Amino acid sequence: MDRDRDCRLCRLGRDIWIWLLAGLTLLLLAWVLRDWLPAMLRLYLLALALLGLIAAAHVGRRLVSKLCRKRGGDPKGQGSESHPPSRVLKLPPRTYKRPDPRIYSQTWLMARGLAVTWDNPDIALFDGAAKAQPHALAPAHAYRIRARIWNGSPEAPAVNMFVRFAYLDFGIGGARTILGETPVDLPAKGAPGLPAIAEMAWTTPATPGHYCVQVELAKFAFTLRNDSPVPRALALRMDAYRIPSPTTCDAREAEFSRGRPSGVRDPFAAHRPTAHRVPADWRIAIDHDHGTVLRPFESREVTVDVTAPDGFAGSLDLNVNAFAQTADGVTLVGGVTLRAHS
Amino acid sequence: MGPQYTSCVEPSNFEPADETLIWVLAGLAAVGGVAAVLVNPGLALVSIALVVQALRITLDWMLNGKLVCLHRDHAATDCVCSGDTGFVCAIGRVVDTEAIGEDKNPIEDVDNDESINLVLHPFRMSEFVNDPPDDPTAAEANLVWATRAGVAQGDLLRRPDPPLKRKDGENLPYVAYFRTVVFSEVFGWKAWTEVVGRDYGWFGIIGPDQQMEWGKYQKLYRHENPKLASVPVLHCEFEGARIRNVLAAIEAFSFGGGWCKKNWFTRALCTILQTVFAPLALLAALAAWATAADGEIGDALEGGGTVGPREDVIVRGRWTYDGGHQGYNEIHATRIVQKVQNIPADPAQFDDFLKRWCASLSVTPHADPAGARPADAGAAATFDAQQRPENRWVLHPAIDGCVPDIPPPPPDGGLH
């Protein structure tokens, strides 16, 4: 209703004849009241003068008030006595910058509806100068963990940003052991030196663990642990996502100009879990009941029987993601990536 | 980057505000106002025109004449964050913040800048404690200590030697900027304005007497033996839009005002136009005053942040000398603020830390207006790289990135 009225007013305001009519009416009014015009002008000017005096009096009162207060306090820049309390300033994004450090994060990506792999593309192990096979680590052996850190902010670098290294027992919800922290300098997005590389020495535990998945071994096992202080049931879901080979920039630009989605096409379609279902001709049996409630910090072994189709050649990643039902909905607890190869 | 409405002048072009002229105009306006009421209301027009002229001269000086450009000696500092010697970076800890209009008279309230005061790293607050507490030379001694040779960032606060000379050959005074800090060996330090600051309302003081509060504080915490320190700080201002808006509102009635200073004829024409339209200009100026965004806080906060006492920040902005007060260096306008962590306490390590921060910011594109290509070569190269498709990812390069001409360094694949 208001919008209609505004539109009618706008239409009237755009009509030159309305303005001419208003002008003529004003002239007519002035002619009718011609004997009163000098008096009205004097009244108008008198009002202006009175308003000016009131304003001047107000400014004068404030001036005297402030001058009196400042007599007992420190002048600007010469101390803080008789100054107002310090407050926290709120700064807008054009002034206040913050870096946006990124590493491939399964929880963060899954929260955005994307499939994830637990073979993190940003973390690698090195044995001396050579890259180590993460599925064939020797016990009690010194390795170097190398992490690749990105920055999503084009305007905020970070210097001396600490990167913390930790490892989990292989499985889901495994115990976490912190290895240490190391500082890195993280340039802004696109600046030289990005991605930043953080390194940490790590000696694998002396007790051999389930670090390796053998070829053709059709049975996987991992530990499922409820790392919460409350009992909860953990549901396992499986997909066959593997980070696709990156497209060429030309192809991506042709499809999504400046990286933005256009039309109804989903720019992340290749990363959705639904696009990576376990192939129908693979038979998967997980020895786990989704309704089983695990006690606080209870661990149990979960076995996965995988039967590949006849004549399978190559490798297939099987991501097992564990979810807990919470008051806020479903929460990702963790996951493992099992790799089957011929 | 944050806004910057002011411009600065080189020291040799600096002229102090013509206060005599402004007071004469204001005095005549007041006399004209009284005469308008008592003698002839027509004099109200002249009175308003005089007020508008006084306001215009004051605002023009505050916007374009008050600040003196300073230039950092790049050969003598570890912090080079721009090819422009007037654009500097500094790492410090926030001592306190200053409210709009603090220490200013009602006319100067038109300057609605917010500000923070930084004690520059590396520092130890205990070195600034006044002993005895009322020693009038303590502040000067602290300034000498904070700017001694070899200390990182000391040049930002150091008294110019030889002094800067203004247009008429006089020396520009320099007293530096100090804030009062309450120090204790037990709890560390707090700004005086955190301990006993008080509010000043529109109609008078709200809150108790400060000396009385300080006395109570000393009694209550006598076991901590609190002492006062006069700390030299780097004053950093975030510009508000009020001066610019009010001046623009006035000059709009002389059709921009930019052409007015060309010659005597244009000056006279402008004066006539501004006199004729003075009542309207005054109304427009008052409207601009009332609606101007305060220094930064008027903006939307999405993605922004907060800065308060005892937080470590790096600031980036124009280094100037404020000729409107008793004489000190400051950053005006502060264009960029970022929080800083893990600052080394050791001076030698801090030098390296500062150098790395400044080097990193020198290749970070902060441009005005936003989205423009920066002038600095390093930042411009990063800006160009950011436009390339391989750097336009939003989530992660492995998800929505693409294959660049030069692949990123290893590693790839591995553990979680």
Side-chain angles (χ1 to χ4, degrees), chain A residues 51 121 126 201 285:
Chain A
L51 276 175
F126 283 81

Short mmCIF file of all heavy atoms in Angstrom, two decimals, chain A residues 51 121 126 201 285:
data_model
loop_
_atom_site.label_atom_id
_atom_site.label_comp_id
_atom_site.label_asym_id
_atom_site.label_seq_id
_atom_site.Cartn_x
_atom_site.Cartn_y
_atom_site.Cartn_z
N LEU A 51 17.04 31.68 16.32
CA LEU A 51 17.59 30.32 16.27
C LEU A 51 19.11 30.35 16.35
O LEU A 51 19.74 29.55 17.04
CB LEU A 51 17.16 29.62 14.98
CG LEU A 51 15.79 28.95 15.00
CD1 LEU A 51 15.45 28.40 13.62
CD2 LEU A 51 15.78 27.80 16.02
N PRO A 121 45.43 -34.20 1.11
CA PRO A 121 46.38 -33.74 0.09
C PRO A 121 47.37 -32.70 0.60
O PRO A 121 48.34 -32.39 -0.09
CB PRO A 121 45.46 -33.13 -0.98
CG PRO A 121 44.23 -32.73 -0.25
CD PRO A 121 44.06 -33.73 0.86
N PHE A 126 57.82 -37.60 4.94
CA PHE A 126 59.09 -37.74 4.23
C PHE A 126 60.05 -38.56 5.07
O PHE A 126 60.13 -38.38 6.29
CB PHE A 126 59.68 -36.36 3.92
CG PHE A 126 59.00 -35.69 2.75
CD1 PHE A 126 57.80 -35.03 2.93
CD2 PHE A 126 59.55 -35.74 1.48
CE1 PHE A 126 57.17 -34.43 1.86
CE2 PHE A 126 58.92 -35.14 0.41
CZ PHE A 126 57.72 -34.48 0.59
N ALA A 201 59.30 -33.05 12.93
CA ALA A 201 59.86 -34.40 12.99
C ALA A 201 58.90 -35.31 13.76
O ALA A 201 58.23 -34.87 14.71
CB ALA A 201 61.21 -34.35 13.71
N ALA A 285 30.38 -55.22 3.32
CA ALA A 285 29.70 -55.62 4.55
C ALA A 285 30.46 -55.03 5.73
O ALA A 285 31.65 -55.32 5.92
CB ALA A 285 29.65 -57.14 4.65
#
